[in-house]
């Protein structure tokens, strides 16, 4: 039996950033923490997850838990750790004669240590109120309080294995449901030893959360990331891409640099392209949007900063004399048509084949359109007037925008730094950045990438269900109002650009047919919204 203990809400310092969440529901690597924790369970082991009784699990989170056969155990709010563990084991009513794995909801230890009747421990540098191991048999585990400031101790990480769950219940109960005292009793009755682990990630405090998160950072195939506490070095096999990004940071006007991490230059003695940035322990907006529970008022602050950055970029036109106007047709229609040709060939589809799409919130007949209809219809709504080329980011989407709560500032990373024809340049059409930002807010791109969708493509019928809530609609409406008041672009034009964006990215997601289908269906959804806003 594998029990993840997550029946208390995160600390106030984390709650101020992510809302009221159980620790296992914190974001990590564009997933919930529990999705990583569940994979630690040995094969053929029943997995249980405790949550506060007052916490409402979303439909898509519950669907993932059900699909992976995870049993959720709601427990009354306010229970102590020992009482929570005893209550969970009593409610499970099974497996009390088989080994029990216990993992705290704010903990990740991968891989788990081997052995029976063990407590995983590690050495730490921070001074939090952790449980530590002592040499006192009568008080084997105790609260660290202030002792870590004077000397180093082995800290209890939050992973345990017990050979006798029934005896564990008895020992904690006899200790008045005091968890640490109960473990001491169990040690005397059955035996319990420590196992030192070098791979403990702790997500229970703001500082340890961000440090553990950086240690868990995953790398994309074409990027190589080296992370230290002070800087991050980015390199890759695509030297022109890295060169373009470095050039973008190097060419920024002084007043725009406040929107980026400090650029630390290119490392010496490197054969391939690379550059370094100050490493910031901030949260990317895609994780806030998908996994956090924050009010619309905070999103108003975030959008204000995002639009402020874009306004600063737009105030810096391309410096050359007679600089040509940016061409939205190449940014959207031409690229979209070329990418769609690849997609249709790989899927064996005709661009003129008709699909029936019924919007999630509608019971009507829906749309019946072909791929070519989507392209032509959205192209007709794209902004018509030319715009002078200005400084742009080039990939201004939520995953490339970090937010710092204490100062209410955004920091942008991963700029494109080149034009549609591969020329290294920091300049282009600012409306492309508006479209990329919109495809995160209105297009729900990050929800699809995180797997939070139900998509069906059966014959010529296509549909997609995305998380819809009053809070989402409020945030999206707020975004439309703020953008409309600052930039001369209409909602139909925004949706038209998004249709083009989602169609153009289809062949880039051929590795995951279900995700590719979702992006395809989302283009129909956005086309429907485009038409509704045009009426």
């Amino acid at each position: 039996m594998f029990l993840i203990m997550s029946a208390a809400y995160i600390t106030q310092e984390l709650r101020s950033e992510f809302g009221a969440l159980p620790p296992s529901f914190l974001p990590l690597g564009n997933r919930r923490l529990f999705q990583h924790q569940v994979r630690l369970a040995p094969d053929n082991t029943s997995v249980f997850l405790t949550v506060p009784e007052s916490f409402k699990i979303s439909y898509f989170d519950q669907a993932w838990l059900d699909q992976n056969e995870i049993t959720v155990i709601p427990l009354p709010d306010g229970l102590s750790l020992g009482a929570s563990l005893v209550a969970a084991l009593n409610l499970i009513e099974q497996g009390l004669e088989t080994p029990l794995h216990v993992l705290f909801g704010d903990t990740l230890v991968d891989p788990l240590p081997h052995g029976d009747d063990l407590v995983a421990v590690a050495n730490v540098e921070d001074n939090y109120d952790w449980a530590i191991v002592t040499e006192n048999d009568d008080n084997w585990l105790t609260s660290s309080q202030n002792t870590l400031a004077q000397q180093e101790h082995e800290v209890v990480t939050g992973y345990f294995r017990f050979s006798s769950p029934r005896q564990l219940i008895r020992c904690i109960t006899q200790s008045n449901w005091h968890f640490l005292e109960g473990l001491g009793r169990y040690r005397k009755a059955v035996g319990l030893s420590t196992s030192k682990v070098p791979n403990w990630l702790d997500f229970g405090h703001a500082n340890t959360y961000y440090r553990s998160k950086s240690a868990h950072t995953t790398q994309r195939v074409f990027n190589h990331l080296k992370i230290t506490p002070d800087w991050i070095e980015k390199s890759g096999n695509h030297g022109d891409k890295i060169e373009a990004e470095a050039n973008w940071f190097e060419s920024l006007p002084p007043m725009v640099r406040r929107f980026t991490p400090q650029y630390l230059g290119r490392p010496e003695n490197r054969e391939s392209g690379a550059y370094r940035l100050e490493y910031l322990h901030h949260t990317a907006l895609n994780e806030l949007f998908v996994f956090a529970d924050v009010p619309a008022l905070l999103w108003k602050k975030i959008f204000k900063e995002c639009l402020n950055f874009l306004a600063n970029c737009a105030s810096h036109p391309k410096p050359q004399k007679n600089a040509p106007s940016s061409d939205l047709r190449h940014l959207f229609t031409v690229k979209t048509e070329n990418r769609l040709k690849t997609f249709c060939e790989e899927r064996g589809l005709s661009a003129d084949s008709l699909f029936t799409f019924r919007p999630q919130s509608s019971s009507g007949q829906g749309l019946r359109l072909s791929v070519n209809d989507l392209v032509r219809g959205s192209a007709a709504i794209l902004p018509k007037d030319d715009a002078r080329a200005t400084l742009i980011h080039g990939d201004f989407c939520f995953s490339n925008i970090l937010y710092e709560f204490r100062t209410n500032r955004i920091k942008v990373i991963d700029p494109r730094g080149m034009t549609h024809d591969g020329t290294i340049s920091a300049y282009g059409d600012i409306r492309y950045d508006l479209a990329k930002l919109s495809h995160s807010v209105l297009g729900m791109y990050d929800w699809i990438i995180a797997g939070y969708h139900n998509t069906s493509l059966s014959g010529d019928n296509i549909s997609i269900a995305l998380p819809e809530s009053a809070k989402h609609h409020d945030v999206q409406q707020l975004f439309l109002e703020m953008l409309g008041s600052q930039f001369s672009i209409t909602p139909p034009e925004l949706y038209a650009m998004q249709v083009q964006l989602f169609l153009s990215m289809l062949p880039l997601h051929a590795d995951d047919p279900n995700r590719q289908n979702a992006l395809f269906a989302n283009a129909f959804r956005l086309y429907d919204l485009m038409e509704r806003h045009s009426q």
Side-chain angles (χ1 to χ4, degrees):
M1 179 166 45
F2 194 89
L3 177 61
I4 303 172
M5 299 292 297
S6 190
Y9 288 101
I10 55 179
T11 62
Q12 186 58 46
E13 57 182 347
L14 286 171
R15 191 181 302 193
S16 65
E17 300 188 10
F18 298 104
L21 298 175
S24 286
F25 284 73
L26 284 166
L28 176 63
N30 208 33
R31 295 287 185 271
R32 298 280 189 195
L33 179 53
F34 68 69
Q35 293 176 282
H36 301 279
Q37 293 170 323
V38 162
R39 294 187 176 93
L40 299 176
D43 293 339
N44 303 316
T45 301
S46 298
V47 180
F48 301 86
L49 171 66
T50 67
V51 297
E53 201 168 46
S54 61
F55 180 68
K56 304 302 180 186
I57 300 177
S58 72
Y59 169 82
F60 285 96
D61 282 328
Q62 187 63 58
W64 189 95
L65 292 165
D66 292 342
Q67 182 180 355
N68 288 272
E69 300 180 342
I70 313 303
T71 303
V72 176
I73 311 286
L75 296 178
D77 292 35
L79 291 181
S80 68
L81 180 58
S84 182
L85 178 55
V86 170
L89 292 176
N90 284 331
L91 289 171
I92 291 172
E93 293 183 338
Q94 68 180 49
L96 294 183
E97 305 304 328
T98 60
L100 167 67
H101 303 260
V102 174
L103 182 71
F104 287 177
D106 58 6
T107 294
L108 201 60
V109 179
D110 186 11
L112 297 175
H114 296 290
D116 290 322
D117 293 312
L118 62 84
V119 177
V121 297
N123 293 116
V124 296
E125 298 177 356
D126 299 292
N127 186 18
Y128 288 106
D129 188 12
W130 279 312
I132 62 171
V133 181
T134 73
E135 297 180 358
N136 185 342
D137 286 341
D138 294 326
N139 197 23
W140 183 54
L141 299 177
T142 185
S143 172
S144 64
Q145 297 181 351
N146 296 321
T147 56
L148 287 180
Q150 289 82 35
Q151 55 187 317
E152 185 175 287
H153 293 277
E154 290 184 338
V155 170
V156 176
T157 64
Y159 170 72
F160 314 82
R161 181 180 166 102
F162 305 99
S163 63
S164 178
R166 193 179 301 280
Q167 183 66 31
L168 178 65
I169 292 175
R170 183 179 295 113
C171 290
I172 294 178
T173 303
Q174 291 172 338
S175 302
N176 293 317
W177 293 278
H178 192 282
F179 181 69
L180 296 182
E181 290 182 13
L183 293 188
R185 282 180 180 268
Y186 184 92
R187 178 171 178 256
K188 292 179 178 179
V190 179
L192 200 58
S193 61
T194 61
S195 178
K196 194 168 183 177
V197 294
N199 51 346
W200 173 39
L201 299 180
D202 173 41
F203 300 89
H205 309 274
N207 287 342
T208 60
Y209 170 81
Y210 286 108
R211 188 180 305 125
S212 296
K213 190 176 178 183
S214 67
H216 193 267
T217 299
T218 56
Q219 299 179 6
R220 291 178 289 181
V221 173
F222 52 87
N223 284 339
H224 300 278
L225 299 177
K226 181 179 180 181
I227 297 176
T228 75
D230 299 319
W231 48 263
I232 178 171
E233 180 178 301
K234 187 173 181 181
S235 60
N237 297 327
H238 294 246
D240 54 344
K241 182 181 185 300
I242 299 299
E243 173 68 24
E245 293 183 20
N247 176 75
W248 188 86
F249 284 106
E250 291 167 352
S251 61
L252 284 181
M255 291 305 294
V256 182
R257 293 174 190 168
R258 64 191 177 94
F259 292 100
T260 71
Q262 185 177 357
Y263 178 70
L264 302 177
R266 309 178 192 229
E268 298 179 358
N269 302 320
R270 289 292 300 268
E271 294 181 0
S272 60
Y275 67 91
R276 289 178 180 176
L277 296 174
E278 167 193 16
Y279 185 72
L280 300 175
H281 293 274
H282 298 344
T283 301
L285 292 188
N286 62 312
E287 293 191 331
L288 277 184
F289 197 47
V290 177
F291 299 108
D293 182 18
V294 297
L297 182 62
L298 177 60
W299 282 110
K300 184 176 182 179
K301 293 181 179 180
I302 293 172
F303 293 152
K304 183 178 180 181
E305 274 294 290
C306 291
L307 297 181
N308 189 21
F309 165 73
L310 294 178
N312 270 264
C313 289
S315 68
H316 293 278
K318 195 172 182 179
Q320 291 94 330
K321 293 182 179 180
N322 300 319
S325 300
S326 53
D327 188 352
L328 277 183
R329 182 173 178 274
H330 279 95
L331 288 171
F332 290 110
T333 310
V334 174
K335 182 173 71 173
T336 301
E337 290 175 346
N338 292 335
R339 293 270 187 85
L340 273 175
K341 182 178 180 181
T342 301
F343 169 73
C344 290
E345 289 175 352
E346 292 176 347
R347 283 293 191 97
L349 297 175
S350 168
D352 291 314
S353 297
L354 295 174
F355 291 88
T356 299
F357 173 81
R358 183 169 290 107
Q360 178 180 351
S361 57
S362 173
S363 59
Q365 294 299 313
L367 306 175
R368 187 157 178 81
L369 299 167
S370 68
V371 172
N372 279 336
D373 290 333
L374 294 178
V375 175
R376 288 191 291 262
S378 58
I381 307 295
L382 289 174
K384 300 296 190 299
D385 57 313
D386 291 336
R388 185 178 181 186
T390 66
L391 179 70
I392 67 168
H393 179 277
D395 197 12
F396 193 61
C397 56
F398 272 2
S399 59
N400 291 336
I401 308 171
L402 310 179
Y403 184 67
E404 210 289 304
F405 287 85
R406 292 168 180 81
T407 60
N408 184 39
R409 292 288 180 86
I410 66 165
K411 300 288 184 177
V412 300
I413 57 174
D414 290 354
R416 179 165 174 78
M418 63 174 63
T419 63
H420 64 273
D421 61 359
T423 301
I424 292 180
S425 173
Y427 297 91
D429 194 320
I430 198 66
R431 292 174 296 187
Y432 189 77
D433 275 351
L434 291 171
K436 292 292 290 189
L437 182 61
S438 299
H439 107 302
S440 287
V441 182
L442 307 174
M444 304 285 281
Y445 172 80
D446 302 293
W447 291 86
I448 294 174
I449 297 302
Y452 284 70
H453 63 88
N454 280 336
T455 301
S456 174
L457 177 55
S458 177
D460 61 355
N461 290 292
I462 187 169
S463 65
I464 184 170
L466 291 163
E468 285 191 347
S469 68
K471 182 178 291 187
H472 288 141
H473 290 302
D474 289 344
V475 170
Q476 291 170 338
Q477 185 59 36
L478 174 67
F479 174 76
L480 282 172
E481 292 172 358
M482 293 180 68
L483 191 149
S485 67
Q486 192 163 347
F487 292 91
S488 299
I489 191 166
T490 66
E493 290 172 336
L494 276 179
Y495 282 110
M497 290 191 290
Q498 288 175 76
V499 172
Q500 296 275 329
L501 283 175
F502 276 90
L503 290 175
S504 69
M505 68 178 70
L506 290 175
L508 307 181
H509 294 267
D511 60 311
D512 189 330
N514 186 45
R515 184 173 66 233
Q516 192 180 51
N517 287 344
L519 298 171
F520 187 38
N522 201 39
F524 284 85
R525 182 185 74 88
L526 293 166
Y527 190 94
D528 177 65
L529 289 170
M530 179 193 76
E531 289 198 326
R532 294 187 188 196
H533 280 84
S534 299
Q535 295 173 357

